[in-house]
Amino acid sequence: MLAVWRILAQDPFLLEARSLFVPCNSHSLQILIGDILNIPYYKIVHTQLTSIITIFRASPKQLALL
């Protein structure tokens, strides 16, 4: 967990968002994820991934192939 915390603390997108990093704290992890999803680049990626997942979940044949 500490290794992930260190990696995230060096991410330039998160540094621009002025995110607060507190290791081993579930609430701060939830806040961090919220901060990540508010960054435009990650918001676009999240939206695209959500649409792909929705399509696969709605199609049993494609889900079985995956």
Side-chain angles (χ1 to χ4, degrees):
M1 183 188 294
L2 291 176
V4 171
W5 176 69
R6 286 186 199 109
I7 291 168
L8 290 174
Q10 296 173 356
D11 188 310
F13 289 113
L14 297 176
L15 290 175
E16 288 178 16
R18 299 178 187 242
S19 298
L20 175 66
F21 296 93
V22 179
C24 304
N25 184 335
S26 64
H27 181 68
S28 65
L29 188 58
Q30 291 174 355
I31 292 171
L32 172 64
I33 291 170
D35 288 346
I36 290 171
L37 294 177
N38 285 329
I39 297 172
Y41 171 77
Y42 291 114
K43 187 178 278 191
I44 292 168
V45 172
H46 179 260
T47 303
Q48 292 172 345
L49 288 175
T50 302
S51 65
I52 291 170
I53 291 168
T54 302
I55 291 168
F56 271 101
R57 291 186 72 192
S59 176
K61 287 183 182 180
Q62 295 298 326
L63 186 59
L65 287 174
L66 182 62

